[in-house]
Amino acid sequence: MVSDAAIAAVVALVVTASFPFYLYGAWIIIEAETVTWDVLTHHLKFIISGLLLTTIPAVTWMIPRFFRQFGGLAAVHAFLGLQAYALLILALTGIVRIFQVKRAHDLYGSPNPDMDISELHENMDSWRWRLRVGVFGYIVFWLLTWMLGIARLLILHTDYL
């Protein structure tokens, strides 16, 4: 049977592999002069892949072992992870509304690079703020959670710490 240490190492690699997907997904949007439907769907393929690479190991392997390993570091690790997902939800509350307004104005099908999207709806700036804060916060808390997870991996499954 495969040891917990081996599984923990694979889980750490899978979660670590999600970060380049986030970075490339962000780069796609940052580099696009105009966010068309094709750009948006290309971006989402990488972001969703990154989310799956993080969420599936958390749900299938980390959470079931949480109470067996419960302690200070496990609690902080779980807290930071929950904060990351809370900020992801904040980002989603912004992006869903932005998507709805841009879709209603057909800006994905017929983009107008000269249009100021803040003029499309009175709440657009607040939705964009939610999106930015949520994405930035998710990445910050993801990194903190990842670092603590690597430390926990070393403490629990190696003789290094």
Side-chain angles (χ1 to χ4, degrees):
M1 182 164 197
V2 180
S3 71
D4 270 358
I7 296 171
V10 169
V11 167
L13 286 172
V14 169
V15 171
T16 301
S18 69
F19 196 62
F21 284 91
Y22 294 139
L23 292 178
Y24 186 67
W27 182 79
I28 290 168
I29 292 294
I30 291 167
E31 286 295 309
E33 288 184 33
T34 304
V35 179
T36 63
W37 185 251
D38 289 339
V39 169
L40 180 65
T41 56
H42 187 62
H43 157 78
L44 288 175
K45 287 176 190 173
F46 289 95
I47 298 302
I48 290 170
S49 296
L51 286 171
L52 290 173
L53 287 170
T54 298
T55 305
I56 290 172
V59 170
T60 61
W61 194 78
M62 293 177 207
I63 293 172
R65 284 159 183 74
F66 176 72
F67 291 106
R68 278 191 273 146
Q69 300 173 349
F70 188 74
L73 285 179
V76 174
H77 187 222
F79 176 77
L80 293 174
L82 288 173
Q83 297 313 302
Y85 281 103
L87 284 161
L88 179 62
I89 291 170
L90 176 68
L92 290 174
T93 65
I95 194 62
V96 166
R97 298 297 294 153
I98 293 167
F99 172 78
Q100 289 172 336
V101 170
K102 286 182 77 174
R103 188 86 167 157
H105 288 87
D106 193 31
L107 291 179
Y108 291 118
S110 303
N112 180 356
D114 299 325
M115 176 176 277
D116 180 10
I117 67 167
S118 295
E119 296 174 5
L120 297 177
H121 194 279
E122 63 189 27
N123 295 328
M124 184 63 78
D125 290 333
S126 120
W127 297 331
R128 293 173 77 196
W129 179 86
R130 277 192 234 168
L131 173 62
R132 289 181 181 126
V133 168
V135 168
F136 179 77
Y138 175 80
I139 294 300
V140 167
F141 278 102
W142 185 95
L143 285 168
L144 291 171
T145 305
W146 176 81
M147 287 187 293
L148 191 55
I150 296 299
R152 289 189 67 230
L153 169 74
L154 294 174
I155 290 167
L156 293 171
H157 300 291
T158 69
D159 295 329
Y160 293 117
L161 296 177

